[in-house]
Amino acid sequence: MTWKQQKYEKMGKSKSIGSSSRKLMHASSSDVQLNICGLPFSLNRELLAARSSKLAALLKENPEDDLSHLLGDIPADSETFEIVARFCHGFDINLSPENVIKVLCLAHYLGMSEIHSTNNLTKKACFYFQNNVLPSWNKSIKALRSAENILQQAADLALIDACAESIIAKVMHDPSLLGEPMRNVTTTDDDSENDENAYKPNVRRRLFVLDWKSEDLTLLSIPLYEPIIRAMVHRKVPLEYVASSLFHYLNKWVFSDTKGGEDDPSTYEKNSQRVIIEAVERLLPHERGLIPISLLSQMLQSAIILDADTECKTGLEIRIGKQLDQATVKDLLIPAQGYAKEERYDTESVKRILKNFYSNYASTDKSGLVVVAELVDNFLAEVSSDIDLKLNTFLSLAELSQAATGGTNRNSDGMYRAIDIYLDKHRYLTDWEREEVCRVLDCSKMSPEASEHAAHNEKLPVRVMVQILFSVQLKLKDTVSKKIQGGPDNRLLKLEEDEEDVNGTSSNEEEMMKTEMEKMGSKVVELEKECDTMRREIQRGGSQHKNQKGKTSIWKEMKRKLGCMTSLHEPNCHVKKKKVHPPK
């Protein structure tokens, strides 16, 4: 007979034994009648008493009574109880990683120990557990999964600790069992391919090993998973591998719409998404850069949606704030939740993240501050199209960014773009409110392209447009002054080639520069007079509607005098970011 034939015959025999044992159980009227999870059992009194000290005591105290009401709290399912019943009746039993913990718990409850009788079930199951389950990574995880419904009983017998210790020891030897560290890839909105492939930890698969298809800890419910991971952190398992396992767990139970059909349904009951988010946040390393900021942002959005506790959301905001200079605008677009929401995005959360970043920024290099300021500019430009975005919200975010980058040479084009979009989408603002919006704009740091656009932007208050034009003239004056000062050096370089020509040309250029400077000076004086006149008119008020045509003509005349009239006729277009090449 071949091995396969023996195997199939044994399987068939086991099945027949299961049915025949139930027939034998019904053979005597003196047998013990039990109902386990809706399935009736009839057990021989003498055989039970020979193996179980608990049943022997009950039978001795109640020799003629029905014991079913006394054994109604047996902590077992029908499959596990049948294994015990078969053992008591002398039949072969099949232990496995999926049933050995249940069998041990039931054997302990029934008192099936060596004290009562030799070669009892507890000894047999313990031997299997110690020699077949604990040495194996896969079997240890399968055994833990099987204990979901009897967690307290298994913990009391130290079976959970034994499996956990086995798993931790293997991870200490080979951390990659938790999954390869995540790749911290910075993605863009149009880089969908990178976005799909980023942050994917891969569990190492061991070829040429019998159990090469590794189980992973994400199969466990959070009451089992959390203490194991916490113990690993305490035992100094490298945090990048711990982070990989945490991401894998979140991806399975929170971020993924579908879960494995083979998972124990009881695991779903324990793994509510809110409980998982809160538990994983407690386990997250605090070190900067271990968790990609896109994942932290995704966790924060899920925590808000699932109404996680305040500690969870605060912890995620702090972690995001620590590495905000690695974020993209997409990471900050957190949808507002609740029926009473007044804005499309959760700007209050973004404010707290910004404050966390600035309060924890300790570097002397201000480049990180500039990066975050530009991020805020782009964020404001994105959310400014929300008609419900409040003026105070816009200003508070802009002021946070502006205050942190004071003294740097940060370009103001991003802020101008955000202001332009906000004014365009909020046409109902009063003149005072439009002045307030523009208060956060530093006109002196705008590029020539942005200044050119602003000079024709009818949405801007007149005062702001005058400030921008005045700033342009000061920049021009400064440029001309620098060019004149640099003239003698250039002439000295050319003097070796042709002294007479250079001297003649240089003197002509110098005369032209002086003339240009005199013109610029007169234009600035004239501009100051015009600004002073307009300021008095605005303060008096009343003439704005009555003399609109005259005011427009004065404004055009002033721009003509300043030399700012161009062919740009599209006042509503937005300034696009582009590289400005300095004049040669």
Side-chain angles (χ1 to χ4, degrees), residues 225-272:
Y225 178 82
E226 182 176 4
I228 291 176
I229 293 295
R230 195 175 298 282
M232 288 182 184
V233 174
H234 182 71
R235 300 270 286 274
K236 307 300 181 183
V237 171
L239 292 179
E240 58 268 26
Y241 292 96
V242 173
S244 174
S245 179
L246 291 172
F247 167 78
H248 209 28
Y249 199 87
L250 285 171
N251 194 50
K252 179 178 180 62
W253 294 105
V254 179
F255 300 151
S256 179
D257 293 332
T258 59
K259 303 177 178 66
E262 298 180 357
D263 292 333
D264 189 341
S266 63
T267 307
Y268 295 140
E269 297 173 5
K270 297 178 178 67
N271 277 17
S272 74

Side-chain angles (χ1 to χ4, degrees), residues 373-414:
E374 292 175 350
L375 173 67
V376 175
D377 291 348
N378 294 332
F379 173 77
L380 285 173
E382 186 70 29
V383 302
S384 289
S385 58
D386 178 13
I387 193 65
D388 296 320
L389 183 66
K390 297 178 181 178
L391 174 62
N392 290 338
T393 300
F394 182 95
L395 290 175
S396 60
L397 286 169
E399 287 169 351
L400 277 173
S401 170
Q402 190 180 56
T405 54
T408 65
N409 294 323
R410 182 170 72 93
N411 189 288
S412 296
D413 287 8

Side-chain angles (χ1 to χ4, degrees), residues 76-89:
D77 52 52
S78 58
E79 291 80 6
T80 305
F81 190 82
E82 183 172 354
I83 293 173
V84 174
R86 288 169 61 85
F87 179 81
C88 292
H89 286 77

Side-chain angles (χ1 to χ4, degrees), residues 486-538:
D489 294 335
N490 294 331
R491 289 197 300 274
L492 288 174
L493 292 175
K494 296 178 181 180
L495 192 60
E496 297 177 359
E497 298 178 1
D498 194 342
E499 184 174 355
E500 286 187 0
D501 292 341
V502 172
N503 285 337
T505 304
S506 298
S507 60
N508 291 335
E509 289 181 354
E510 186 174 351
E511 290 296 328
M512 293 176 63
M513 290 295 181
K514 289 181 179 179
T515 304
E516 185 66 23
M517 282 297 300
E518 291 176 357
K519 291 181 179 179
M520 286 299 156
S522 62
K523 286 183 179 181
V524 170
V525 172
E526 184 179 353
L527 177 61
E528 290 174 348
K529 293 180 179 178
E530 295 276 3
C531 290
D532 185 62
T533 302
M534 293 180 67
R535 188 180 298 109
R536 289 197 300 269
E537 291 180 358
I538 292 172

